[in-house]
Amino acid sequence: MASFKKSLKAQNIFLLVSSYIFYGWWDWRFLSLILLSTTVDYFVGISIDSSKKQSVRKRWLWVSVFFNVGLLGFFKYYNFFVDSWVDMFTTIGYNMKSTWTLNVILPIGISFYTFQTMSYAFDMYYKKLKPTKDFLSLAAFISFFPQLVAGPIERATNLGNGAKNGWCFSYMNIELEKMNDRLLSLNQ
């Protein structure tokens, strides 16, 4: 157990596997979404950092925004817009059946990890953080199950330190950090 406390890689593997089991327990098919979001923003972060021209950096940021918001928008609003379109035509006298509606369920935690992955890209864009070359650390940060579905949405500069420097799992520490963050946000 002592080696586990010292091995950052072992901690991140444990957290990533635990988080993916937690997330996949509800529906394993949606694991590909969180993995895809993580992968896109991993490469976007590296690309933003390696780009010297502001216009190129901004384009990479937009890749992250369009990809992540597009993914979120599809799962959250696709059926709503299709049903609204069908209802509009029904109102004006065309009787349509909704053959385009998909039986898509909103994946658990999609809003949290979507904005969390985008926060990583924004932190790269504004040079608040250097991109990680360790995909495992980023994946552990994004899929961190204790806050994946309950929030709050964390900036990479806040929670990412655990993925880089080692995780401290004291319930009291976590609660004190949350209270401290809330108090600091009230004073600003």
Side-chain angles (χ1 to χ4, degrees):
M1 192 65 162
S3 65
F4 179 76
K5 287 182 179 181
K6 292 179 182 177
S7 173
L8 179 60
K9 186 173 185 175
Q11 290 176 6
N12 283 337
I13 289 171
F14 176 74
L15 270 177
L16 183 63
V17 169
S18 299
S19 296
Y20 274 33
I21 288 171
F22 172 81
Y23 188 72
W25 200 270
W26 181 69
D27 192 335
W28 63 270
R29 296 172 297 176
F30 293 129
L31 284 172
S32 61
L33 297 176
I34 196 168
L35 180 61
L36 190 59
S37 280
T38 304
T39 303
V40 165
D41 280 302
Y42 173 76
F43 288 112
V44 163
I46 290 171
S47 299
I48 287 173
D49 186 63
S50 66
S51 302
K52 302 304 174 210
K53 291 178 72 177
Q54 187 65 17
S55 61
V56 174
R57 293 169 53 80
K58 191 174 277 191
R59 271 188 237 131
W60 280 112
L61 181 64
W62 280 110
V63 167
S64 173
V65 170
F66 282 130
F67 176 80
N68 287 300
V69 172
L71 195 66
L72 178 63
F74 175 78
F75 280 96
K76 215 164 185 179
Y77 298 111
Y78 177 80
N79 284 340
F80 168 75
F81 284 115
V82 168
D83 288 340
S84 296
W85 184 259
V86 169
D87 289 346
M88 181 186 75
F89 275 100
T90 303
T91 302
I92 59 174
Y94 291 105
N95 194 7
M96 293 179 69
K97 282 198 169 195
S98 180
T99 58
W100 297 341
T101 302
L102 303 174
N103 289 327
V104 177
I105 298 171
L106 186 65
I108 192 168
I110 191 170
S111 296
F112 288 109
Y113 73 74
T114 296
F115 290 108
Q116 199 145 298
T117 59
M118 280 195 309
S119 83
Y120 177 74
F122 274 91
D123 284 345
M124 297 307 114
Y125 180 77
Y126 289 112
K127 299 180 182 180
K128 292 183 177 182
L129 198 63
K130 294 296 274 178
T132 181
K133 303 288 188 223
D134 182 9
F135 181 81
L136 182 63
S137 293
L138 180 65
F141 157 66
I142 289 171
S143 66
F144 188 59
F145 75 92
Q147 62 82 225
L148 180 66
V149 294
I153 296 167
E154 288 287 345
R155 300 296 301 248
T157 51
N158 294 345
L159 192 58
N161 289 331
K164 290 189 301 187
N165 302 325
W167 300 90
C168 177
F169 292 108
S170 165
Y171 180 76
M172 186 59 108
N173 284 351
I174 292 170
E175 290 305 310
L176 289 174
E177 285 178 21
K178 284 182 183 177
M179 286 184 355
N180 187 36
D181 290 343
R182 289 182 184 128
L183 288 172
L184 287 175
S185 67
L186 291 175
N187 291 330
Q188 293 176 352

